[in-house]
Amino acid sequence: MKNYTTRTKKQNISIRPVFADDFESWLRKQSQALKARIKNASFSGKAGKVLFHYDKAGYLKTIFVTLKKPVQLYDAAALVQAIEKECDPGWIEKTTFTLEEHTLTDKDVLNFTLGWGLACYTFEYYKKSSRTSPTLKWPQKVEKGYAQSTIDSIFLIRNLVNRSAIDLGPAELEKEIKEIAKNHKANVKVIKGEKLLAENYPLIHTVGMASPKEREPRLIDLSWGNKEDPHITLVGKGVCFDTGGLNIKPTQYMALMKKDMGGAAHALALANMIMSLTLPVYLRLLIPAVENAIAGNAYRPGDVLQSRKGLTVENTNTDAEGRLILADALTAASEERPDLIIDFATLTGSARAALGPDIPALFSNNDAFGPDIQKISFEKEDPLWPMPLWAPYKKHTESMIADLNNSASLPGDLIYSALFLQNFLIDAPDWIHIDCYAWEHTGKAGRPKGGADTGLRTIYAWLNERYRK
């Protein structure tokens, strides 16, 4: 990876962590010269402070950084920013940085390493960056394979979500999935266009049928692993752009709809982690990839639609398209009777109203899953919040003329959409639905403005605990 190395360069700078809680006791043990330097630089016990310590000749010798105890995921990100601000890019290019690990736990070192890598992300698809990010020597205590897979997978989400829809339609998303599959020797099957009707995926076809031929709807089906192992199926909402359909979105809501395939990006990133870290499962990944476009053949409000399961759906809102394509995919996922189905979707504004942009809403038909996943999410600094599949609200998904409607137009849509999806499972397999946002609005160290992972690390950790013997 670009910002890590196994070998030190001629110029190698030590990074010496100081725990904020222990700062005063640490300070008393330092030399008078260093104490004076600390005072002059206003280096304090507040977490995230950085001190560049130079020798008498003016050469950088050591970097001190105050950290929380335990070390938090993005603690090292502030250090990366400080190095880039303090040091010449040419000098950074010729230098490695080595973390002094002896005061840190394995978890501390892992979080520091991940935070370093996440802070070095730059999106360069459309313009070259002049930025030169520092290189960290791989710490001895870190599980290199896990760290590398995590960062690669998070960057995969960011890169996919950040690309504009003109460059990432259903065909390009298919290409990206096939590239990941090739890396892991996984199999991919694609059903697209009119063949979706022949193969009984009518809702996926309906949502995407107004798109031109080169952006026609498709179901991308990846499989990997030993069929004797526990069977997990991941489903991701792949709406590569969402106009809202004939219920067209206002400008302020349509502006970010390139990110409406964020669920697919998360499902693909999780599949990448499962395969690269060889979790002992049989994996299937289903991505219904469409563009919710407007044309003369677009589906309409009030249309009654057929589904793969045979249930009819009154389309009360063409801007509630994500749950339609997921419905057919969840039915297909259920048909193989997997041990577990997990879907990711940038599904509802109401989930954001309830929990904000950083906390995905988690639903499950297995009541034991929510508390376990939430506990792990706090440990991973990757929060998810269990929400209720409140059965009395099923009345809001009912239709006078069809089996279901796809949008109640009432507050609480995150719950109604989850209840709607639950109807399309077969024989009630264990199922988790994650309504995520996949975007960072404000930007911060280690988490730049743009595409963002929300829930990825937590769900992998939970799966790892569940299936790794």
Side-chain angles (χ1 to χ4, degrees), residues 332-346:
S334 303
E335 288 164 359
E336 287 193 344
R337 305 299 193 270
D339 299 278
L340 175 66
I341 298 172
I342 304 174
D343 78 74
F344 289 84
T346 52

Side-chain angles (χ1 to χ4, degrees), residues 79-100:
L79 173 59
V80 169
Q81 286 190 342
I83 291 171
E84 293 177 0
K85 183 177 180 180
E86 173 81 8
C87 304
D88 178 78
W91 182 88
I92 292 174
E93 186 72 36
K94 299 174 183 177
T95 305
T96 49
F97 298 83
T98 301
L99 176 66
E100 296 184 7

Side-chain angles (χ1 to χ4, degrees), residues 19 22 43 50 80 103 109 125 155 198 295 335 346 357 418 435 444 450:
F19 284 117
D22 303 331
F43 182 59
V50 178
V80 169
T103 61
V109 174
Y125 193 85
F155 284 9
E335 288 164 359
T346 52
D435 190 335
K444 60 193 80 169

Side-chain angles (χ1 to χ4, degrees), residues 270-309:
L270 180 57
N272 185 59
M273 290 190 72
I274 289 170
M275 293 186 288
S276 64
L277 297 171
T278 59
L279 193 68
V281 298
Y282 175 70
L283 173 68
R284 190 180 184 197
L285 170 70
L286 292 172
I287 303 292
V290 303
E291 181 173 26
N292 190 20
I294 299 173
N297 62 333
Y299 69 119
R300 296 161 289 269
D303 284 352
V304 175
L305 311 175
Q306 298 293 323
S307 71
R308 181 176 182 83
K309 193 177 180 182

Side-chain angles (χ1 to χ4, degrees), residues 202 386 404:
L404 299 163

Side-chain angles (χ1 to χ4, degrees), residues 184-213:
H184 300 296
K185 298 180 180 178
N187 298 312
V188 178
K189 174 186 175 184
V190 180
I191 305 168
K192 59 187 175 181
E194 295 301 312
K195 290 184 179 179
L196 287 165
L197 294 176
E199 297 285 341
N200 192 25
Y201 293 98
L203 290 176
I204 298 173
H205 179 269
T206 296
V207 172
M209 66 186 179
S211 297
K213 178 72 174 177

